[in-house]
Amino acid sequence: MVKGEYLEFTIRPWTAGDRIPAGRLIASVLLEYNLPWEPAGADRDVVEVERFYIETGGGFWVVQQGETLVGTAGFYPVSRGDRAVELRKMYLSPSVRGCGLGTFLLQELEAEIQKRGFQTIWVETASVLQEAVHFYEHHHYLPSTGVETARCDRIYCKTLPAT
């Protein structure tokens, strides 16, 4: 299970009490890039974490700095191939970007995905999220086709080594 410490941050599994702070964080990051918060659409999975992540064999985590929620990330199984998941809702507050936290979080997620027997990771993003585009490309996610989320225009794929 993804859980741990990085610098002054704590990464832990999501609880129901995180629903509102996680939604606020994601909405604020989207607003930063003039993208809409869509709780009945593209962001419904954050409103219904149990249904989309927990009950499907995925997982959802939050990052805290002290008592403040500063990040989110999750994944759930998808049918885009054998043993595939989609990485979702990897957002960090602007105040905590640039310290290596995103890389640490991604590495923890990839390790958990691999531990659970999945091999292929898909992630959708938008070109306007230039930092995210660079981040995924830097971490060996390869451009692909088949975007399914209306506000996204890019999709990436990464195959993990077999264990």
Side-chain angles (χ1 to χ4, degrees), residues 11-64:
I11 301 166
R12 62 168 178 78
W14 179 89
T15 66
D18 297 320
R19 192 178 326 275
I20 290 173
R24 285 184 183 145
L25 170 71
I26 293 167
S28 72
V29 172
L30 290 168
L31 182 60
E32 181 184 345
Y33 295 92
N34 295 314
L35 293 171
W37 160 250
E38 301 172 352
D43 301 305
R44 187 173 181 182
D45 56 325
V46 176
V47 178
E48 299 180 48
V49 169
E50 298 87 350
R51 178 177 160 221
F52 284 88
Y53 295 90
I54 311 306
E55 294 171 8
T56 64
F60 198 86
W61 294 267
V62 297
V63 180
Q64 286 184 262

Side-chain angles (χ1 to χ4, degrees), residues 8-10 64-69:
E8 72 271 19
F9 305 102
T10 302
Q64 286 184 262
Q65 185 177 36
E67 297 300 313
T68 305
L69 193 145

Side-chain angles (χ1 to χ4, degrees), residues 95-158:
S95 65
V96 303
R97 295 179 198 151
C99 68
L101 176 60
T103 295
F104 178 81
L105 183 57
L106 182 63
Q107 290 169 344
E108 292 293 304
L109 289 165
E110 288 178 352
E112 180 67 16
I113 289 166
Q114 193 171 36
K115 185 175 115 186
R116 293 191 190 191
F118 296 105
Q119 191 172 4
T120 305
I121 303 172
W122 294 90
V123 62
E124 293 186 2
T125 192
S127 294
V128 69
L129 299 170
Q130 293 176 4
E131 296 93 338
V133 168
H134 174 74
F135 178 79
Y136 292 117
E137 289 176 353
H138 178 77
H139 289 92
H140 310 289
Y141 283 74
L142 302 175
S144 191
T145 58
V147 173
E148 296 176 347
T149 305
R151 81 170 165 231
C152 295
D153 62 354
R154 290 179 178 249
I155 186 167
Y156 291 90
C157 182
K158 182 175 185 178

Side-chain angles (χ1 to χ4, degrees), residues 74-90:
F75 66 83
Y76 53 65
V78 293
S79 59
R80 284 186 172 158
D82 185 40
R83 298 181 292 152
V85 298
E86 183 171 346
L87 186 63
R88 301 268 305 164
K89 303 304 188 234
M90 189 162 166

